[in-house]
């Protein structure tokens, strides 16, 4: 009867642990007080149930000391070893409950969406240049030949479009370059996820044109590879991310730097 109760208690702990694990995977990084209280209460229930399980386990009786019979020391030693082995073997119920507790309290790995929101400090509007950040190409002259979306940045880019109002922008030399860029983004699936549409891809004929776009849009974040533009916008934009292949000095408290967009979000 006692074994049945223990099995039921272990099963209850497993179910509660599975339920909390599922809840943790769906929670965003910011929790309200009710959510925190509920989680704390359920966690306390698990720990309390486990402690009851341990204290309710019957104490194992110490085996009576066997008298040593002359001429049978080998048999007595073998018998004593068997008793000692059975003493140190942990009960399966305690081990099962402990495994459930240990598994539940393992740190939960955040999702990419949670990482994006955390790194962007909950910023909801983002502007970003294309060359050298989203595209493999690094100059307007290259766009006259082709436009290629970097495969390593695509997952992060799509996640940003789900959470943020994203505007992409670039300087181009002709209309054909614009068409190549839009086609590359469309083929990569950028316009089929989140709120990204072609009207949010902006083109200009001069490098400082991006500065005008950004100041008009007033984003929470601007992402660029040009250090001059980053410097000019630092006093107008809340946060900036400077994409540079080499480590650069921080020009302002609100300017961050990274070798790539995906590296900034820790996906590489």
């Amino acid at each position: 009867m006692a074994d049945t109760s223990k099995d039921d208690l272990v099963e209850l702990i497993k179910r509660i642990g599975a339920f909390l694990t599922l809840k943790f995977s769906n929670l965003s990084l910011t929790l309200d007080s009710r959510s925190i209280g509920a989680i704390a209460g359920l966690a306390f229930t698990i720990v309390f149930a486990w402690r009851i399980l341990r204290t309710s386990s019957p104490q194992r009786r110490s085996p009576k000391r066997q008298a040593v019979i002359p001429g049978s020391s080998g048999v007595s030693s073998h018998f004593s070893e068997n008793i000692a082995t059975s003493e140190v073997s942990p009960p399966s119920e305690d081990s099962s409950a402990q495994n459930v507790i240990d598994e539940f309290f393992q740190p939960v790995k955040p999702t990419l969406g949670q990482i994006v929101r955390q790194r962007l400090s909950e910023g909801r509007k983002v502007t970003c240049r294309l060359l050298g950040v989203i595209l493999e190409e690094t100059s307007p002259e290259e766009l006259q030949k082709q436009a290629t979306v970097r495969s390593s940045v695509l997952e992060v880019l799509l996640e940003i479009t789900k959470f943020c109002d994203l505007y992409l922008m670039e300087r181009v030399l002709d209309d054909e370059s614009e068409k190549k860029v839009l086609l590359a983004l469309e083929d990569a699936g950028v316009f089929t996820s989140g709120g990204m549409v072609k009207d949010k891809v902006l083109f200009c004929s001069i490098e400082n044109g991006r500065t005008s776009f950004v100041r008009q849009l007033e984003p929470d974040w601007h992402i660029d590879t040009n250090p001059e533009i980053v410097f000019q916008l630092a006093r107008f934009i809340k946060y900036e991310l400077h994409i540079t292949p080499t480590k650069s000095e921080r020009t302002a408290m609100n300017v961050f730097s990274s070798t790539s967009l995906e590296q900034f979000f820790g996906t590489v």
Side-chain angles (χ1 to χ4, degrees):
M1 187 70 178
D3 291 339
T4 302
S5 298
K6 292 175 184 176
D7 291 340
D8 292 342
L9 189 53
V10 170
E11 182 62 26
L12 174 61
I13 295 175
K14 287 182 178 179
R15 290 182 179 181
I16 295 176
F19 171 77
L20 287 178
T21 302
L22 178 61
K23 286 295 183 184
F24 267 118
S25 65
N26 294 329
L27 285 175
S28 62
L29 291 177
T30 55
L31 298 175
D32 57 27
S33 58
R34 289 186 179 180
S35 299
I36 294 174
I39 292 170
L42 288 172
F44 176 79
T45 301
I46 289 181
V47 176
F48 183 70
W50 175 64
R51 290 178 66 88
I52 291 177
L53 176 63
R54 288 186 62 84
T55 56
S56 64
S57 299
Q59 298 294 326
R60 293 182 296 277
R61 295 181 179 179
S62 299
K64 294 182 179 179
R65 187 180 299 277
Q66 299 294 321
V68 179
I69 302 174
S72 61
S73 60
V75 175
S76 298
S77 299
H78 180 67
F79 181 69
S80 299
E81 289 176 1
N82 288 340
I83 293 177
T85 302
S86 64
E87 282 182 339
V88 299
S89 298
S92 60
E93 294 88 351
D94 286 356
S95 177
S96 178
Q98 182 65 55
N99 289 338
V100 172
I101 298 297
D102 291 342
E103 182 178 350
F104 169 71
F105 284 104
Q106 288 294 320
V108 179
K109 184 178 180 181
T111 64
L112 179 58
Q114 291 173 330
I115 294 173
V116 167
R117 288 191 287 271
Q118 183 185 45
R119 293 292 281 162
L120 293 179
S121 304
E122 299 296 325
R124 300 307 298 265
K125 182 181 284 189
V126 178
T127 54
C128 177
R129 87 165 300 180
L130 285 160
L131 287 173
V133 181
I134 307 301
L135 300 178
E136 295 280 1
E137 292 73 27
T138 58
S139 69
E141 289 75 19
E142 291 180 76
L143 291 181
Q144 290 182 301
K145 300 177 182 179
Q146 63 181 19
T148 310
V149 175
R150 300 174 60 243
S151 58
S152 59
V153 80
L154 189 56
E155 185 180 11
V156 170
L157 178 64
L158 294 178
E159 198 63 46
I160 293 175
T161 64
K162 295 177 184 177
F163 175 70
C164 301
D165 187 15
L166 176 65
Y167 291 83
L168 302 176
M169 52 191 64
E170 193 49 65
R171 178 172 76 93
V172 294
L173 302 178
D174 52 38
D175 293 341
E176 287 301 316
S177 297
E178 292 185 19
K179 294 178 181 179
K180 286 182 174 62
V181 170
L182 292 173
L183 182 60
L185 294 172
E186 184 174 11
D187 290 343
V190 175
F191 301 127
T192 60
S193 177
M196 192 65 195
V197 295
K198 292 183 179 181
D199 289 341
K200 291 184 178 180
V201 183
L202 310 177
F203 298 99
C204 54
S205 58
I206 58 174
E207 191 72 0
N208 285 336
R210 287 201 308 281
T211 304
S212 300
F213 285 152
V214 173
R215 291 196 60 181
Q216 291 175 23
L217 292 169
E218 298 181 340
D220 298 301
W221 280 82
H222 177 63
I223 305 167
D224 213 295
T225 61
N226 189 322
E228 293 183 7
I229 290 181
V230 170
F231 177 76
Q232 292 172 11
L233 291 173
R235 56 181 176 152
F236 302 108
I237 307 303
K238 188 174 182 180
Y239 299 110
E240 285 191 281
L241 176 59
H242 181 203
I243 302 298
T244 173
T246 57
K247 188 175 182 180
S248 60
E249 294 184 3
R250 196 167 182 178
T251 57
M253 291 299 296
N254 62 332
V255 176
F256 302 84
S257 65
S258 177
T259 57
S260 67
L261 190 62
E262 56 270 35
Q263 193 276 334
F264 180 72
F265 291 105
T267 60
V268 292

